[in-house]
Amino acid sequence: MYKKMKLSDTIRVAPDLLGGDVQVNVKNALREKLEGRLDKQIGAIVAITEIEKVGEGHILVGDGAVYYDVDFDAIVFSPMIQEVVEGEVVETVDFGAFVSIGAMDGLLHVSQITDDFMSYDGKNGRLMSKTGTRSLGEGDRVRTRIVALSINEREPRESKIGLTMRQNALGKLEWLEEERMARSNAQEEV
């Protein structure tokens, strides 16, 4: 889930950036330091949007930079257990599919795609159902639920987000639309 948060930090503005507008320099230093960073408590910082307050600058002995206490607004991506998210399949492998759900990717294991057995078709780069009626490949849009979450702020690429589509109203968007049309047609016949 994306959130707008009010955060505080102390930011170092290097000596070569001290000329000009302090607000602009502080915002640029914040962006460089924080955007793209991952924090276990708040999630992935996507963007610094606005500087609320810049405190008095402090200079440390032996360092020509100025340190400012800053209050600012940021857009943060913070996945939560049981959250329903939509995303795009970015890669399929023999054990499942990786789905981009915003600032991070989650793993949709083959056992969590459908009730039908899914196997990997390496030649076409797709996961195919045993019956052959359903397939999942790169670029497909899906609706999933987050069922496992392990955030590693030191090594963000090591973070793991487990996804499922084996629940009602979840799946490839194409499949969901087919099911909705089938229900609609069945109701019209009655």
Side-chain angles (χ1 to χ4, degrees), residues 64-132:
V66 179
Y67 291 81
Y68 294 97
D69 292 327
V70 184
D71 296 334
F72 59 96
D73 292 338
I75 303 296
V76 176
F77 178 73
S78 179
M80 298 186 314
I81 294 284
Q82 300 306 322
E83 179 181 5
V84 174
V85 292
E86 287 190 8
E88 182 176 320
V89 175
V90 291
E91 182 182 5
T92 54
V93 290
D94 59 345
F95 56 86
F98 289 96
V99 179
S100 174
I101 56 170
M104 300 176 175
D105 292 347
L107 173 64
L108 185 56
H109 191 268
V110 289
S111 66
Q112 296 299 312
I113 296 174
T114 65
D115 291 335
D116 197 4
F117 178 78
M118 299 292 281
S119 59
Y120 182 64
D121 176 4
K123 185 177 180 183
N124 296 312
R126 299 187 73 70
L127 292 163
M128 301 291 295
S129 67
K130 188 174 185 176
T131 60

